[in-house]
Amino acid sequence: DTGVSQDPRHKITKRGQNVTFRCDPISEHNRLYWYRQTLGQGPEFLTYFQNEAQLEKSRLLSDRFSAERPKGSFSTLEIQRTEQGDSAMYLCASRLGDNEQFFGPGTRLTVL
Amino acid sequence: SQQGEEDPQALSIQEGENATMNCSYKTSINNLQWYRQNSGRGLVHLILIRSNEREKHSGRLRVTLDTSKKSSSLLITASRAADTASYFCATSWAGANSKLTFGKGITLSVRP
């Protein structure tokens, strides 16, 4: 257990539905990241928060994706109108300053 | 795009042998981190090595960094069946919000 938690661990949804994932970082970590990992690949960066400010978004993050980190604590990642290509493992990570980045267990999304 | 490239893509060894995995990257970095991932699980942080460091140890793990060759290696000594997993190197560089860029990973199989 790294101290980063994610919920749910698994999500199966039908194409076109909206889904929301939650990440609780290690409490004193000011930096929070979302990544996406597909089978056989390494994780790819989606978005970054420093405290409550979303400072960077990857071009992988289409308009259907939105992320928030209210009050600089937990974060949510919402995918609207899901597509089969959204099926992946969604990973959250947190870090303090420029130290190690710790990952949560991930949310595995399957879009039918 | 994924900056890090691990080599080999797959490695199979006998329990008790040493495993050496290599990572090459393309741009200047702040630090490089190695992670382990068991099938379908989150990433476990192994070691962080900064750009001004050349070698670090942690238990049975030894990581080296050669910034002139833009490469790193991870050595696992006296391997165990429990070391069977995928291993990823991840780089971050200054001015990039410390987001990580991963390679595709190395699949290590340790035969009992």
Side-chain angles (χ1 to χ4, degrees):
Chain A
D1 183 2
T2 63
V4 180
S5 61
Q6 292 187 246
D7 184 70
R9 296 290 302 277
H10 303 274
K11 179 70 177 179
I12 301 174
T13 191
K14 293 183 179 179
R15 190 174 51 188
Q17 298 293 305
N18 299 343
V19 294
T20 300
F21 309 141
R22 177 179 170 124
C23 169
D24 286 89
I26 295 171
S27 59
E28 64 268 26
H29 285 189
N30 58 338
R31 298 185 179 205
L32 186 146
Y33 304 79
W34 286 96
Y35 295 83
R36 181 172 68 187
Q37 185 180 24
T38 53
L39 202 62
Q41 303 292 317
E44 293 182 290
F45 169 77
L46 291 179
T47 191
Y48 161 67
F49 289 86
Q50 183 162 315
N51 300 312
E52 67 275 11
Q54 187 174 20
L55 296 185
E56 187 173 352
K57 293 194 291 187
S58 162
R59 56 184 167 79
L60 292 176
L61 216 63
S62 75
D63 292 344
R64 296 184 297 105
F65 288 70
S66 63
E68 295 182 340
R69 192 184 182 196
K71 302 178 183 178
S73 56
F74 70 92
S75 176
T76 59
L77 177 68
E78 180 183 16
I79 309 174
Q80 295 183 326
R81 304 181 304 281
T82 52
E83 302 172 356
Q84 287 185 325
D86 297 331
S87 295
M89 174 82 90
Y90 289 85
L91 295 160
C92 173
S94 70
R95 78 193 298 177
L96 180 65
D98 195 32
N99 295 319
E100 294 85 351
Q101 198 164 129
F102 292 100
F103 283 79
T107 294
R108 181 168 296 284
L109 173 66
T110 302
V111 182
L112 302 175
Chain B
S1 64
Q2 294 181 321
Q3 173 173 231
E5 287 192 10
E6 295 95 343
D7 171 64
Q9 290 188 341
L11 182 61
S12 180
I13 59 174
Q14 200 73 34
E15 205 166 27
E17 294 181 337
N18 295 342
T20 300
M21 291 169 270
N22 302 300
C23 168
S24 60
Y25 56 92
K26 296 175 184 172
T27 64
S28 296
I29 61 171
N30 254 3
N31 60 63
L32 184 146
Q33 302 182 56
W34 283 91
Y35 288 87
R36 184 185 75 228
Q37 186 176 40
N38 291 90
S39 181
R41 311 286 292 272
L43 285 90
V44 174
H45 187 270
L46 297 177
I47 279 189
L48 178 151
I49 186 165
R50 300 190 188 279
S51 58
N52 61 352
E53 298 174 313
R54 291 297 167 257
E55 187 171 313
K56 285 189 83 169
H57 295 82
S58 176
R60 295 184 295 114
L61 306 180
R62 173 178 168 255
V63 167
T64 61
L65 180 64
D66 187 335
T67 53
S68 67
K69 295 181 179 178
K70 292 186 170 60
S71 67
S72 173
S73 68
L74 170 67
L75 169 67
I76 304 175
T77 59
S79 63
R80 305 166 181 169
D83 294 327
T84 295
S86 293
Y87 291 80
F88 294 90
C89 72
T91 54
S92 66
W93 63 100
N97 293 322
S98 297
K99 65 177 183 277
L100 296 178
T101 303
F102 288 82
K104 291 186 177 181
I106 298 170
T107 301
L108 173 66
S109 298
V110 181
R111 304 185 301 274

